[in-house]
Amino acid sequence: MMARAASRIREHHARLSQLDSVAGDGDHGSAMLRTMDRLEKAFANESPADLSLSFAEAGWSVMDADGGASTSLIGAFFLGVGEGTAAGTSSWNCLEMAAALQAGLKAIQAQTQARPGDKTMMDALAPAVEALVSVALFG
């Protein structure tokens, strides 16, 4: 999953920077490239023995990337996913994954006042997590 996400970011990083230049400093694409490099390294092992530890390590690694607010929020998300996963867990069922992603979303919400509708990553992340939770709970 991380490798596919990294591939898509690499493919579209110039567009991300172009979009960011409209209202920002135009560095979002390059920040996302650094973020994805760190996530790929953190998840290089195809079958992590402990998802909680893997996500925590990924979160700290992303936070160390120089990428402004987005890297700290993405790092917080991965730390939250790690905290929302029981220690020693090597795989998730759908309910466990939904709970872990909910914990990640809550970790970001503790770091920012941004909510869906504010034209931030929350516009995509919150509905995605809510959809997964809905499917996990109600099929």
Side-chain angles (χ1 to χ4, degrees):
M1 190 167 61
M2 292 301 162
R4 179 68 177 139
S7 173
R8 298 289 293 169
I9 293 295
R10 283 188 185 92
E11 183 180 341
H12 297 287
H13 78 278
R15 178 76 173 134
L16 293 171
S17 289
Q18 180 185 24
L19 291 169
D20 184 42
S21 69
V22 172
D25 55 8
D27 70 342
H28 187 65
S30 57
M32 288 303 298
L33 284 175
R34 288 190 299 278
T35 299
M36 296 316 296
D37 286 343
R38 289 176 180 252
L39 287 176
E40 275 190 311
K41 288 177 186 167
F43 291 102
N45 182 357
E46 290 185 22
S47 299
D50 187 334
L51 288 173
S52 175
L53 182 59
S54 293
F55 276 93
E57 289 174 358
W60 286 116
S61 179
V62 168
M63 285 187 158
D64 282 342
D66 180 25
S70 64
T71 54
S72 64
L73 293 174
I74 293 168
F77 176 76
F78 280 93
L79 285 170
V81 169
E83 291 171 5
T85 302
T89 299
S90 61
S91 65
W92 288 318
N93 64 32
C94 194
L95 284 172
E96 292 165 333
M97 182 178 183
L101 295 180
Q102 272 187 312
L105 179 60
K106 286 180 184 177
I108 289 180
Q109 290 171 329
Q111 299 296 319
T112 181
Q113 295 180 11
R115 297 293 181 253
D118 291 341
K119 298 182 182 177
T120 67
M121 70 174 69
M122 298 303 284
D123 289 332
L125 185 59
V129 171
E130 290 169 12
L132 179 60
V133 169
S134 179
V135 167
L137 292 175
F138 305 112

